[in-house]
Amino acid sequence: MPRPTAAQFAYGSATVVATTLALLLLFRTESGVGVAAVGATALALGLLVALRLPRPGHPTAEGAGRTATDRASAARTHHALEGIGARERVPAARSSARSSARTDEHSLRR
């Protein structure tokens, strides 16, 4: 199960506090059952708000639509470059003497 983000904690907590204060002031309840009902309602609403926040790195319906659009525009750009005879240039990987000398060293990872 993924861990909640800081934004989810912040928005969920702020929702619980604001909802609790608003409901207690709105209904002016003094009984224990009323306060428990307000608290349970506020916790449920805070949980709902925290779970509905988008997670970073997870595609949403809007993100999927934009990705397809980006791919389409990239494909048009690529075909446009082929039309004028230009090729895509990708730099080759750099190899250094330092990295090749370290390949026979022992890794400290377990």
Side-chain angles (χ1 to χ4, degrees):
M1 181 173 192
R3 293 179 176 229
T5 63
Q8 287 176 317
F9 274 126
Y11 280 112
S13 299
T15 302
V16 169
V17 170
T19 303
T20 302
L21 289 175
L23 290 176
L24 286 175
L25 291 174
L26 182 66
F27 294 123
R28 297 183 183 177
T29 183
E30 295 178 6
S31 67
V33 175
V35 171
V38 165
T41 304
L43 285 174
L45 187 60
L47 182 64
L48 179 69
V49 166
L51 290 178
R52 294 298 299 164
L53 283 178
R55 291 184 178 267
H58 288 276
T60 59
E62 293 175 8
R66 279 186 269 152
T67 304
T69 306
D70 291 342
R71 281 192 213 130
S73 66
R76 280 193 304 260
T77 305
H78 181 69
H79 292 302
L81 290 176
E82 285 179 357
I84 61 171
R87 283 198 229 156
E88 187 176 332
R89 295 179 61 188
V90 177
R94 289 186 264 165
S95 64
S96 65
R98 182 177 175 191
S99 65
S100 62
R102 294 180 56 179
T103 56
D104 57 347
E105 291 180 10
H106 179 71
S107 174
L108 297 177
R109 294 185 184 172
R110 291 182 181 215

